[in-house]
Amino acid sequence: MRITILQQLQIADELLRIARGEVLGDSWSRQVYSVDASHYEVAPEAVVCPADEHDVQQACEYSFAKKVPITARGAGTGLLGQSLSKGIILDFTKHMNRIIEIGSDWAAIQPGIVKGVLDKELKKKNKFLPPDPASSNYCTIGGMIANNSSGVHCLGYGNTIDFLEQVDVVYADGKTGFASAGKFDDRMARLQKLLSPHANVIRNGYPQVSKNSCGYRLDAVMASRFMPQKVFAASEGTLGVVTCAKLKIVDIPAHRCMMVLGFEDLLAAVSAITAILKFSPVALEMLDHTVVSHSGGKKISSDAGCLLFVEFAEDIRKAAEGHMEKCRQALAGKCAVLEHASDEQSIAKMWRARKGALNDIMKMTIGSRKPVGLIEDTVVRPELLADHAAGLLRTYRENNLDYMIYGHVGDGNMHTRPLIDLASGAEVELMDRIAAGVFAKVIKGGGTITGEHGDGLGRVGYIEMMYGGQMTALFSKVKRLLDPGFMMNPGKKVHPPLQ
């Protein structure tokens, strides 16, 4: 339904009457919220900065009654247009950004709090929340839940979904709900009833990899026991709006050590991954020469064709350093140890160098071409990574494409972007063909098309390819149960029914 300017002004005016927080309906604000970290652009009708849960309820009730889409937004760091919508945007960063309470092994927080702010408070108690995406300094916890974010240290600790213990939510009709493993509302009880007959299909229908943000994570919901709160992780705000989340936190390890390894090329580096994993690193990251060579020498100086960053963590210093030394010995003759450190300051500097190089490369352009994400988040089992990397390089070579490549290779998660001119219909079609081929191979090998970046607008059309008709039909039933009007972030995860 196309909304006229008059209707758009009416939406903003009506929201002003029911919300305690700010309502933004001017053209400048709508333009600001029409973009995120992706290449998509979708202008909303109005933006609400909810003051509290009551505001969220009021906005959802309005959306439900007026049939106006509603979408939750954090910092807008999504790479596939997750928080872009033509309807109402809920921006949680202004008011609903507080830490409610920190316990001995958990933290209760509002969705708009920035991960970096939470990190600082947890550090005072010698605790941390391990998922650490590259955007940690400005991304929000709500966005991390919506995407099931991971980051550098998920190899050793897990993904956001693994730490989500409880949520308070507002459903599409404005009613509140709650979900945890031991206590949940009536809608979650109905979800259990819906999913239970399909337990075997769910158990066998997901990729056998350590991270996955594709579709709805029903496998996590129906694991050893019913854990309904996990249905909201990786759901991209399509099933309900999380207004408070309780997340597990862990002790900061007493001792860490790290080394940077230089390999001749990408294939040599990824071929060493399984050998390195035997020594239980908590992080294992890769930067190819396509990234390092464009850092201008400012961030990382190396003649190596590919770098691996390997971190170990233990409560006993000798144990951490022992793992690193044994790993170094196992790789003797295959690579060079370019740097190593066991003090926090040096380790932080090494990670900053990696992050700085990535910040540089994301700004790279060649003529009208720029790095485009679509196949940028595939995950395969680590033992298949060398073959996967070889296939990507062959595809780029055959199509004469410049590219960048890096990733969380300890998890088999490869981040790669070809440089594409989005104004060229031929190049966009080429990108789609490449994606279909790459995804088909990844899926055949038991991997996933997105490990941590999510589906958003870019990959929603590939979800059925990933899971098949039976599972995607179940996704639609879950969506219809919790959002029968398909008003919550429509066009993501599940296509709306044909009118």
Side-chain angles (χ1 to χ4, degrees):
M1 179 181 70
R2 187 175 180 85
I3 296 178
T4 66
I5 294 176
L6 183 62
Q7 289 173 318
Q8 180 265 315
L9 292 172
Q10 182 180 355
I11 290 170
D13 183 60
E14 290 174 344
L15 288 169
L16 272 168
R17 299 178 186 181
I18 61 176
R20 300 173 190 172
E22 296 87 337
V23 175
L24 309 174
D26 60 284
S27 59
W28 171 250
S29 296
R30 294 174 60 240
Q31 181 64 30
V32 168
Y33 286 89
S34 71
V35 295
D36 61 0
S38 72
H39 63 271
Y40 296 100
E41 184 172 342
V42 183
E45 305 305 332
V47 179
V48 179
C49 302
D52 51 26
E53 185 180 66
H54 182 264
D55 267 3
V56 179
Q57 286 185 263
Q58 292 288 95
C60 287
E61 285 180 11
Y62 179 88
S63 161
F64 189 76
K66 301 288 187 176
K67 294 183 169 51
V68 178
I70 191 164
T71 298
R73 179 179 174 122
T77 57
L79 297 170
L80 278 299
Q82 285 94 325
S83 63
L84 304 183
S85 172
K86 292 181 179 179
I88 301 164
I89 297 293
L90 298 176
D91 181 352
F92 288 95
T93 61
K94 189 159 189 177
H95 301 297
M96 296 185 68
N97 57 8
R98 297 186 297 115
I99 297 172
I100 305 301
E101 187 178 358
I102 297 176
S104 60
D105 61 354
W106 55 269
I109 50 85
Q110 291 181 318
I113 190 168
V114 172
K115 173 60 162 58
V117 173
L118 178 62
D119 287 340
K120 289 179 182 177
E121 292 303 310
L122 292 179
K123 190 174 182 179
K124 296 175 183 177
K125 300 178 180 292
N126 197 42
K127 299 286 185 177
F128 79 124
L129 177 66
D132 53 349
S135 56
S136 288
N137 288 340
Y138 35 90
C139 74
T140 65
I141 295 297
M144 289 178 61
I145 293 170
N147 272 356
N148 185 29
S149 297
S150 300
V152 169
H153 290 93
C154 74
L155 174 63
Y157 299 97
N159 316 299
T160 300
I161 198 169
D162 301 311
F163 293 86
L164 187 61
E165 295 191 337
Q166 181 178 319
V167 294
D168 292 337
V169 298
V170 174
Y171 291 113
D173 59 2
K175 300 294 192 299
T176 58
F178 55 91
S180 66
K183 190 177 181 182
F184 44 87
D185 61 46
D186 289 343
R187 295 190 206 205
M188 292 294 100
R190 294 202 295 273
L191 177 68
Q192 184 178 29
K193 185 177 181 181
L194 170 64
L195 298 182
S196 292
H198 305 282
N200 287 334
V201 172
I202 293 170
R203 189 177 302 112
N204 298 318
Y206 281 78
Q208 300 304 304
V209 288
S210 62
K211 58 199 300 189
N212 178 27
S213 291
C214 186
Y216 293 135
R217 288 296 307 273
L218 306 182
D219 57 327
V221 176
M222 300 294 288
S224 56
R225 55 177 174 160
F226 182 58
M227 292 185 280
Q229 75 277 15
K230 295 183 185 290
V231 78
F232 298 101
S235 70
E236 298 179 358
T238 59
L239 303 178
V241 177
V242 174
T243 56
C244 182
K246 182 179 178 181
L247 294 147
K248 179 174 65 176
I249 55 177
V250 298
D251 293 332
I252 294 175
H255 300 285
R256 296 195 298 161
C257 56
M258 182 173 169
M259 58 183 175
V260 180
L261 307 175
F263 289 80
E264 181 180 358
D265 56 29
L266 171 66
L267 296 183
V270 295
S271 295
I273 298 303
T274 53
I276 296 172
L277 289 174
K278 294 177 182 178
F279 302 98
S280 303
V282 295
L284 175 48
E285 300 289 299
M286 177 271 290
L287 293 184
D288 181 54
H289 74 92
T290 54
V291 174
V292 177
S293 63
H294 284 88
S295 69
K298 297 175 292 184
K299 311 295 190 290
I300 299 173
S301 180
S302 172
D303 293 327
C306 191
L307 304 180
L308 293 183
F309 294 69
V310 193
E311 181 185 312
F312 302 88
E314 297 285 353
D315 289 330
I316 300 173
R317 180 181 295 277
K318 286 186 177 179
E321 293 180 346
H323 286 314
M324 186 169 74
E325 177 58 23
K326 289 178 181 177
C327 181
R328 187 192 65 78
Q329 292 175 4
L331 296 174
K334 297 179 181 178
C335 61
V337 178
L338 304 179
E339 295 183 56
H340 63 89
S342 56
D343 65 284
E344 288 298 317
Q345 186 175 359
S346 298
I347 291 171
K349 183 178 179 181
M350 292 156 78
W351 282 127
R352 282 198 302 270
R354 172 195 173 274
K355 183 176 288 189
L358 294 180
N359 287 339
D360 281 353
I361 197 67
M362 291 306 293
K363 302 169 187 174
M364 184 180 75
T365 60
I366 297 180
S368 58
R369 295 178 175 180
K370 60 182 180 180
V372 173
L374 184 55
I375 58 169
E376 91 295 340
D377 195 35
T378 58
V379 184
V380 298
R381 296 196 307 276
E383 63 268 24
L384 301 179
L385 196 55
D387 181 60
H388 181 44
L392 289 171
L393 295 181
R394 184 166 54 251
T395 296
Y396 290 145
R397 188 169 57 249
E398 290 172 350
N399 291 283
N400 195 30
L401 289 172
D402 294 301
Y403 64 93
M404 63 168 75
I405 193 163
Y406 60 98
H408 312 300
V409 288
D411 289 294
N413 187 194
M414 194 84 83
H415 293 330
T416 182
R417 291 174 172 85
L419 273 70
I420 295 290
D421 181 0
L422 291 173
S424 166
E427 292 202 13
V428 171
E429 289 180 7
L430 172 62
M431 185 74 237
D432 290 338
R433 290 198 300 274
I434 289 173
V438 170
F439 289 163
K441 187 173 182 180
V442 166
I443 294 166
K444 185 177 181 181
T448 177
I449 64 175
T450 176
E452 59 185 14
H453 293 169
D455 298 309
L457 293 168
R459 278 188 284 264
V460 64
Y462 295 95
I463 294 176
E464 185 166 359
M465 178 183 183
M466 172 77 196
Y467 289 108
Q470 188 174 12
M471 188 66 73
T472 51
L474 189 56
F475 291 166
S476 294
K477 290 179 181 178
V478 171
K479 173 71 169 175
R480 192 177 295 277
L481 171 67
L482 300 180
D483 177 22
F486 284 71
M487 287 295 108
M488 305 202 90
N489 207 9
K492 321 301 191 321
K493 295 296 178 179
V494 173
H495 287 298
L498 295 175
Q499 299 299 318

